[in-house]
Amino acid sequence: MQSDLQTPIDLDEVAFSHIPVLSQEVITGLDIQPGGNYLDLTVGGGGHSRLILESAENIKITAVDQDLDALNAAKNNLAEFGNRVNFIHSNFADFQFPEHTYDGILADLGVSSYHLDNPERGFSFRNAANLDMRMNQQQSLTAADIINEWDEKELADIFFKYGEERLSRRIARRIVEKRPFNTTTELAEAIFYSVPPKYRHGRIHPATRVFQGLRIAVNDELQVLETLIAKAPPALVVGGKIAIISFHSLEDRIAKHGLRGSELLKVLTKKPIIATEEEIKQNPRSRSAKLRIAERK
């Protein structure tokens, strides 16, 4: 098992950084205009917001994030822009969208490097940590609650539906037999030994898809995205753009059909925009990013 986990990370080296993916494509797609009013629903460390603010004069941004660590990092990173940035702590599904306000809306759905690299948040099994996975640390439901309290069928369903894990039933059965679990590495080890030997040393660790499914369930990510796409279009001015960056097929499917199905939007990307080979070399996590853009009619 040890060989499948990476070297422990020095916590002192973990900082909230946000390398914005598809950065030029986002700026071009949103068609940033001087004096424009923009909404960044997942500000993270402020990477995309900084690019928007620097793209034209007198830009204003409403910067939203449900993670207080992210919001505080963004406040520091964007401090030079003063009152041109309004910071709001909120899940974007709960955000109150004012009508006909924004020239552009951005939602970058990716899990940040900070979340993956900071063991204390429990998103990764590379280091022992509490089973947390909450983006909003003020919510009560954690990954530990799901793993230790949900029944076998519910676990198998989220692993299959949200993690696209074909061995979901087998893994769920093993988890129920071995629980309770307190740490990420305990859970990863149980998953590792629940699958046949030929699956244990493949391209990805056997726990990868299960952890994705857990994270989506903890944060209700797919329902939140559907809510966003339903609520956001009326907040755009006519001609305003909405850009959504997704990182796995479940999110991209919702973005694709949600934007296409809105009576208020005209889709501008028949196919998703993806990272160039050069960007992937510089930032490997951009490999799975897909950008879709639509315009307010």
Side-chain angles (χ1 to χ4, degrees):
M1 182 66 183
Q2 183 61 41
S3 62
D4 290 273
L5 302 181
Q6 297 184 14
T7 304
I9 294 170
D10 184 348
L11 273 176
D12 293 334
E13 296 179 357
V14 176
F16 207 118
S17 61
H18 180 191
I19 302 172
V21 301
L22 300 168
S23 55
Q24 189 54 55
E25 292 85 349
V26 166
I27 299 303
T28 301
L30 288 176
D31 190 23
I32 307 299
Q33 298 294 321
N37 187 10
Y38 295 88
L39 173 62
D40 186 346
L41 286 166
T42 47
V43 69
H48 281 115
S49 280
R50 170 174 287 278
L51 291 172
I52 293 171
L53 288 159
E54 292 175 343
S55 294
E57 294 185 359
N58 301 319
I59 296 290
K60 289 188 177 181
I61 280 192
T62 299
V64 179
D65 210 291
Q66 64 179 324
D67 188 325
L68 280 174
D69 287 349
L71 208 60
N72 289 330
K75 287 178 180 179
N76 290 331
N77 293 342
L78 302 175
E80 67 193 83
F81 298 100
N83 61 9
R84 290 169 59 191
V85 187
N86 177 30
F87 296 96
I88 296 177
H89 178 228
S90 175
N91 181 302
F92 52 67
D94 298 325
F95 179 72
Q96 298 300 310
F97 289 87
E99 291 197 5
H100 306 296
T101 298
Y102 300 109
D103 297 286
I105 297 174
L106 171 65
D108 176 1
L109 307 177
V111 180
S112 72
S113 298
Y114 169 82
H115 289 125
L116 294 172
D117 293 343
N118 186 343
E120 294 180 350
R121 299 299 297 270
F123 285 92
S124 171
F125 48 82
R126 292 182 294 174
N127 297 268
N130 290 332
L131 281 164
D132 192 329
M133 298 193 189
R134 292 172 298 170
M135 289 288 189
N136 181 358
Q137 292 180 292
Q138 295 180 348
Q139 80 172 41
S140 58
L141 182 70
T142 68
D145 295 330
I146 292 175
I147 285 296
N148 292 322
E149 296 174 14
W150 289 22
D151 67 34
E152 184 178 320
K153 183 181 184 302
E154 289 175 313
L155 292 178
D157 285 347
I158 65 170
F159 300 159
F160 182 77
K161 182 178 178 181
Y162 299 152
E164 299 179 293
E165 172 54 67
R166 293 184 297 109
L167 300 177
S168 58
R169 292 182 181 178
R170 184 175 185 146
I171 292 170
R173 190 179 312 120
R174 175 83 173 197
I175 287 172
V176 170
E177 289 172 355
K178 297 293 183 179
R179 64 188 186 188
F181 294 95
N182 296 310
T183 69
T184 53
T185 48
E186 289 173 356
L187 177 59
E189 184 171 18
I191 296 167
F192 183 82
Y193 288 112
S194 71
V195 303
K198 67 178 180 178
Y199 291 107
R200 293 176 188 170
H201 301 285
R203 186 173 58 86
I204 64 171
H205 189 283
T208 301
R209 293 189 180 93
V210 170
F211 270 61
Q212 173 182 298
L214 259 181
R215 191 199 80 227
I216 290 173
V218 169
N219 298 289
D220 199 18
E221 293 177 22
L222 302 186
Q223 182 59 54
V224 163
L225 177 56
E226 291 178 355
T227 301
L228 160 68
I229 295 174
K231 292 171 64 175
L236 288 166
V237 300
V238 174
K241 313 292 194 300
I242 180 170
I244 298 177
I245 303 173
S246 62
F247 286 82
H248 57 75
S249 60
L250 300 174
E251 288 176 336
D252 181 58
R253 195 174 303 131
I254 291 172
K256 174 184 178 180
H257 294 294
L259 295 178
R260 181 183 294 171
S262 172
E263 295 180 353
L264 298 179
L265 297 175
K266 174 187 176 183
V267 174
L268 302 181
T269 48
K270 290 184 178 180
K271 292 184 178 181
I273 298 170
I274 60 175
T276 63
E277 288 299 322
E278 182 179 351
E279 179 175 1
I280 292 170
K281 288 179 182 177
Q282 295 175 349
N283 179 14
R285 285 176 176 161
S286 68
R287 181 181 301 277
S288 55
K290 292 183 177 180
L291 169 64
R292 293 187 183 273
I293 304 168
E295 180 180 39
R296 177 74 153 86
K297 295 178 183 177

